[in-house]
Amino acid sequence: MIIVLLGPPGAGKGTQADLLSAKLGIPKIATGDVLRAALRDGTKRGLEAKAYMDRGDLVPDSVILGILQDVMTSPAAKEGAILDGAVRTVPQAEGLGKMLKEIGKKVDRVLLFDVDDEELVKRLSTRTVCEGCQTPYMGRDPGAKCEKCGGKLVRRKDDEPEAVRNRLEVYRRQTAPVIDWYDDNKMKVLKIDADAPVDAVTKRTLKALGK
Ligand code: AP5
């Protein structure tokens, strides 16, 4: 099953993608994580993405479609994938659709995590993430250890207030139209009220998926 997760920054896409991946037994593919790993490794792709990411702008569609081509044709995604934040523009939605068609697959479900801006800003201004495995945390200070891998928790540069404001604006301008694009292409977008405790959101999500 191929599931696309949509939603503004801080809506909980990464958190829920990890939980769904464990429940459904299919991998999570988060383009943000792939890009941050590329940056840490000092690859051309990572260096190209850095300035866009630090400002909270989207990296070019060509870079994202290149990543999606690599991962969706890899053996890891044979049984499907949970695409976390991997589709953020209409050309990306179109490109992914075409790419999947060529390999005899399609997007099976599109989920939209809905949270209002005030809560999003609150979540992002208090988030730390593991430098190693990228797990996000609330209420843990930078420098603390990750429960999962022992890595160091850090603040993301794009969680600074100015970058957060830009990310919300970019979401409204460039990503929100993707919702209408899927609707117009006969793929019902399942909206989840994600302003609730993590467990409750997971339950709502599984219910929406019929699981
Ligand atoms: P990315 O890393 O994907 O960032 P994002 O979409 O802005 O999403 P976030 O990771 O900020 O939030 P999330 O929804 O995953 O929430 P999380 O679970 O962490 O992308 C970063 C950048 O990479 C982009 O800005 C862009 O430059 C580039 N990029 C990536 N993909 C791209 C693409 N396709 N096209 C172009 N550019 C791309 O949760 C947030 C916080 O809230 C955490 O602290 C968490 O613990 C907490 N939390 C989660 N759920 C709850 C809950 N239910 N209640 C309370 N707290 C909660």
Side-chain angles (χ1 to χ4, degrees):
M1 182 181 260
I2 296 176
I3 303 171
V4 168
L5 302 186
L6 301 175
K13 301 180 297 295
T15 301
Q16 295 300 328
D18 282 333
L19 296 166
L20 291 175
S21 170
K23 290 247 184 224
L24 304 176
I26 48 176
K28 154 183 151 175
I29 292 161
T31 35
D33 292 352
V34 172
L35 290 168
R36 280 184 291 275
L39 184 56
R40 271 198 309 279
D41 296 343
T43 68
K44 189 169 164 261
R45 186 182 265 168
L47 296 172
E48 190 184 344
K50 184 180 185 320
Y52 295 96
M53 294 176 78
D54 285 351
R55 287 193 303 267
D57 284 335
L58 297 183
V59 305
D61 290 334
S62 57
V63 175
I64 299 300
L65 290 170
I67 294 173
L68 289 174
Q69 178 77 38
D70 291 350
V71 291
M72 295 314 293
T73 54
S74 77
K78 198 166 149 260
E79 304 299 329
I82 299 165
L83 297 177
D84 161 11
V87 181
R88 297 188 202 220
T89 65
V90 168
Q92 290 177 17
E94 287 169 346
L96 174 67
K98 272 190 205 138
M99 176 189 307
L100 291 176
K101 199 168 177 194
E102 278 166 19
I103 55 174
K105 294 182 178 177
K106 63 176 175 49
V107 169
D108 296 292
R109 296 280 190 283
V110 181
L111 302 176
L112 169 65
F113 291 111
D114 190 34
V115 176
D116 67 33
D117 282 9
E118 201 183 324
E119 171 69 12
L120 296 173
V121 170
K122 193 174 109 198
R123 289 184 188 180
L124 294 178
S125 62
T126 53
R127 169 170 69 176
T128 48
V129 297
C130 174
E131 210 174 28
C133 70
Q134 303 286 314
T135 299
Y137 289 90
M138 288 283 273
R140 303 274 179 96
D141 290 332
K145 268 196 178 172
C146 172
E147 270 172 21
K148 277 194 189 163
C149 75
K152 191 170 94 179
L153 303 193
V154 294
R155 293 263 306 143
R156 269 172 50 174
K157 199 162 181 187
D158 63 350
D159 280 346
E160 297 301 327
E162 197 178 323
V164 168
R165 268 195 298 279
N166 188 39
R167 285 158 70 199
L168 290 171
E169 175 54 29
V170 164
Y171 174 78
R172 273 189 281 275
R173 204 174 55 240
Q174 291 180 268
T175 307
V178 173
I179 300 165
D180 290 337
W181 186 87
Y182 276 117
D183 277 335
D184 293 346
N185 284 275
K186 310 210 167 4
M187 171 57 67
K188 190 173 159 42
V189 175
L190 306 167
K191 189 167 163 180
I192 315 280
D193 176 358
D195 193 353
V198 171
D199 288 359
V201 178
T202 308
K203 275 194 192 131
R204 288 173 192 176
T205 306
L206 289 168
K207 193 170 170 210
L209 291 171
K211 303 280 175 188

